[in-house]
Amino acid sequence: MNTATATATATTAIAPAPAPEPEPPTRPSTVHHPLPPGPQAAREARRVASWLLAVHPVGRPHDTTEDILVIVSELTSNAVRHARPPYALTLSVESGRAGIALSDASPSLPRQHDGRGPLATRGRGLAIIRALGAELFVSPAPLGKQVIAVLTWPE
């Protein structure tokens, strides 16, 4: 083998391998955000949730992102209407699952209303959350409670 062939072979043999594809995040990404009292709480909760969903790209269908934002809005609106401040949103997303928790200072547990008819404008928030496929939980606390919705989707 001549020197030119040996040099070309050596250069080819030591060329760097292509960089591996980055792994999708496996840890949940969580935000805990205090919310202002009053009707502006729902807008702030949606803003924070939209931000987290944009910066944490887990594989989820577009409609699932919209469902999460509706759930955030419903939980926050229910807290503002039926509980008392301080309010806080905790949102955790990971591949295949989102957990949405709304904390308030009221010990009163949420109630499912009887669906006051198709034209009712109130009393259907928890039914909407369940219709979107979320499981609902309530966690009492010494200074209030957390209402928690867990939404899953196929990976």
Side-chain angles (χ1 to χ4, degrees):
M1 179 182 302
N2 67 29
T3 307
T5 305
T7 304
T9 303
T11 304
T12 304
I14 61 170
E21 291 291 318
E23 296 274 331
T26 55
R27 293 185 336 211
S29 183
T30 302
V31 64
H32 177 78
H33 188 75
L35 298 172
Q40 65 271 27
R43 179 179 5 171
E44 178 69 5
R46 282 190 305 274
R47 184 190 68 74
V48 169
S50 294
W51 172 82
L52 181 64
L53 294 170
V55 300
H56 189 70
V58 296
R60 70 182 166 274
H62 175 71
D63 58 343
T64 301
T65 298
E66 297 300 318
D67 292 349
I68 292 168
L69 294 175
V70 169
I71 292 168
V72 165
S73 294
E74 289 296 332
L75 289 177
T76 308
S77 297
N78 285 350
V80 169
R81 180 167 288 155
H82 301 291
R84 60 180 183 256
Y87 311 114
L89 170 70
T90 303
L91 174 60
S92 181
V93 293
E94 60 186 291
S95 184
R97 178 174 45 204
I100 305 117
L102 207 297
S103 302
D104 63 59
S106 173
S108 299
L109 300 180
R111 294 180 299 142
Q112 178 74 44
H113 292 279
D114 59 2
R116 306 173 188 174
L119 300 178
T121 59
R122 296 174 63 173
R124 298 187 302 194
L126 298 179
I128 289 170
I129 293 169
R130 284 190 180 103
L132 292 173
E135 295 181 68
L136 280 167
F137 306 91
V138 178
S139 178
L143 299 175
K145 67 181 171 305
Q146 273 192 329
V147 181
I148 304 159
V150 177
L151 184 64
T152 60
W153 56 89
E155 295 183 60

